[in-house]
Amino acid sequence: DIQLIAGDLKKMGEPKSVILSESLYYKFFGDEPYNEQTIKLTRSTLLVAGVYKDLPQQSHLRLDYIFPFKWAVQNISEERMNGWIWQQFYTYVQVHAGTDMTAFTDSWRKYVEEKSAPFRDDLDFSYKSFFQPIRDIHLGSSGFQWDIAVTNSYQSIIFLSIAAAIILLIACLNFINLTTAQALKRSKEVSVRKFIGANRIQLLIQYGLESCIYTLLAGTISLGLFVLLMPVFQDFTAKIFLLTELLSAANLLIYFVVLIILGVFSGWYPAL
C-alpha cells in the first residue's frame, strides 16, 4: 500500500502529474511544505500530485516516484505502444480470494496468443506469460529482464546455507577432536570421581554441560560480533538488514536452542 502524506491521488488522473517519495521530495524541496509544486522531467513540467511515505526496506520495490501510465503513452509512438514485441512492462494484478490461478492463467494465455498472433507469426515470435505471487518475486525473479524489483537468487541462499552448515560441522568435529585429545589429561579426574561414587550417567551429564557452556559462550561472543560488524557487512553486500527483524524474540530462541543442540552433539562423543 502507498501511504500518502500530502496531496491527492485523484490528481494522478492528469497525464502530466507525479507523486514523490518522502525522501525524494525532501531532496528536491527540503523542508518546504507541500503546495502542489512542479518539477521538470526532460521537456515536460509535471505537477507533484502528492508525497508518499518511503516504502519499507523489506519491500522488493524501491520507488522514488510514480507517474501515470497516460504520461508514458503520450511520449511513446502509437506503433510501439500497440506492438506485442515490446516486453518491458510488468503488470501487477489483484485477484479475488479463491481464484483458480491455473484456470485463470490458461484463459490469459489463450487471450495473449489470440491478440499477439498477427505480430508474432511474421516475426517467428512466441510468448509464455505467467503469474507470480508477490511474496515469490524477491527470490524467484532474479533472471527477469527490465524489472525494477530488488531481487536475489534462491539458489544462492541454498548454496551459502550449505556452505555455512559445512563450516559449522567442521568446527564441531574440530572441537570433538580437541576434547578427545585432552581426555587423557582428565583421566585422573574421572578416576577420582568414579572412586568417590560418580556413576557413568553423571559423568556424561558433566561433559555434556561443559560442552553446552562452551557453545553458549562462543555463541554469545558471536552474537556480539554480529551486531558490531553488521554495518561493515551491509557496506560489503550493498544490502540493508534490520537488526530489529533479525534479532526478534523468535529468531533468538531458535538461535539458542540450536546452540544447545550443538553443545550436546559436540560433547556427547568425547563423553562416551
Side-chain angles (χ1 to χ4, degrees), residues 78-125:
E78 184 178 354
E79 179 184 3
R80 194 174 189 187
M81 285 300 303
N82 291 331
W84 280 75
I85 59 172
W86 195 21
Q87 301 288 311
Q88 296 179 2
F89 298 103
Y90 284 78
T91 304
Y92 287 76
V93 180
Q94 185 174 10
V95 298
H96 295 290
T99 299
D100 185 345
M101 288 306 299
T102 302
F104 182 54
T105 302
D106 290 340
S107 300
W108 169 253
R109 285 178 176 172
K110 290 177 182 177
Y111 172 80
V112 170
E113 288 176 6
E114 177 186 341
K115 293 293 184 181
S116 64
F119 302 92
R120 59 184 170 82
D121 289 347
D122 295 338
L123 299 171
D124 193 22
F125 208 74

Side-chain angles (χ1 to χ4, degrees), residues 56-58 226 230 234 240-248:
Q57 293 293 341
Q58 297 94 326
F226 169 78
M230 179 54 69
Q234 290 186 145
I240 296 176
F241 300 93
L242 300 179
L243 286 176
T244 52
E245 295 287 337
L246 294 173
L247 301 181
S248 64

Side-chain angles (χ1 to χ4, degrees), residues 2-272:
I2 298 292
Q3 184 179 342
L4 207 65
I5 299 173
D8 186 1
L9 281 178
K10 293 180 181 178
K11 293 181 180 178
M12 285 286 282
E14 304 174 14
K16 292 187 176 182
S17 58
V18 64
I19 56 174
L20 307 179
S21 68
E22 187 178 11
S23 56
L24 189 62
Y25 178 86
Y26 179 78
K27 182 179 179 180
F28 285 164
F29 302 104
D31 295 325
E32 180 182 342
Y34 169 77
N35 189 26
E36 296 188 357
Q37 292 94 332
T38 58
I39 59 172
K40 290 206 71 175
L41 180 61
T42 62
R43 290 173 292 178
S44 300
T45 299
L46 303 181
L47 168 70
V48 179
V51 181
Y52 61 90
K53 189 174 182 180
D54 291 342
L55 296 179
Q57 293 293 341
Q58 297 94 326
S59 174
H60 70 283
L61 291 176
R62 298 288 187 267
L63 302 177
D64 294 318
Y65 56 88
I66 306 171
F67 56 79
F69 197 70
K70 291 180 181 178
W71 186 82
V73 172
Q74 288 184 354
N75 289 270
I76 297 168
S77 66
E78 184 178 354
E79 179 184 3
R80 194 174 189 187
M81 285 300 303
N82 291 331
W84 280 75
I85 59 172
W86 195 21
Q87 301 288 311
Q88 296 179 2
F89 298 103
Y90 284 78
T91 304
Y92 287 76
V93 180
Q94 185 174 10
V95 298
H96 295 290
T99 299
D100 185 345
M101 288 306 299
T102 302
F104 182 54
T105 302
D106 290 340
S107 300
W108 169 253
R109 285 178 176 172
K110 290 177 182 177
Y111 172 80
V112 170
E113 288 176 6
E114 177 186 341
K115 293 293 184 181
S116 64
F119 302 92
R120 59 184 170 82
D121 289 347
D122 295 338
L123 299 171
D124 193 22
F125 208 74
S126 63
Y127 284 93
K128 187 181 179 182
S129 54
F130 61 93
F131 295 92
Q132 180 185 49
I134 282 184
R135 289 184 180 275
D136 294 346
I137 292 176
H138 179 65
L139 293 178
S141 305
S142 59
F144 294 175
Q145 290 183 317
W146 314 115
D147 196 2
I148 64 170
V150 179
T151 60
N152 210 321
S153 171
Y154 184 76
Q155 288 78 10
S156 296
I157 292 179
I158 295 296
F159 174 79
L160 292 173
S161 299
I162 293 173
I166 292 173
I167 292 171
L168 194 60
L169 179 62
I170 292 172
C172 290
L173 293 176
N174 284 338
F175 178 77
I176 291 171
N177 287 334
L178 289 171
T179 307
T180 305
Q182 291 178 345
L184 291 175
K185 297 180 180 179
R186 303 188 64 178
S187 57
K188 289 184 179 180
E189 174 196 342
V190 173
S191 299
V192 171
R193 288 181 181 276
K194 282 187 174 183
F195 182 77
I196 61 177
N199 57 41
R200 180 177 177 81
I201 297 298
Q202 289 174 327
L203 292 173
L204 287 173
I205 291 173
Q206 176 196 340
Y207 273 91
L209 285 175
E210 287 178 2
S211 177
C212 285
I213 290 171
Y214 279 129
T215 309
L216 287 172
L217 181 61
T220 304
I221 294 172
S222 297
L223 196 60
L225 291 173
F226 169 78
V227 174
L228 289 173
L229 297 176
M230 179 54 69
V232 179
F233 184 69
Q234 290 186 145
D235 290 340
F236 176 73
T237 59
K239 295 183 182 295
I240 296 176
F241 300 93
L242 300 179
L243 286 176
T244 52
E245 295 287 337
L246 294 173
L247 301 181
S248 64
N251 286 346
L252 287 175
L253 178 62
I254 293 172
Y255 178 69
F256 283 104
V257 168
V258 170
L259 285 179
I260 293 173
I261 293 172
L262 285 174
V264 173
F265 168 74
S266 302
W268 190 250
Y269 177 76
L272 287 173

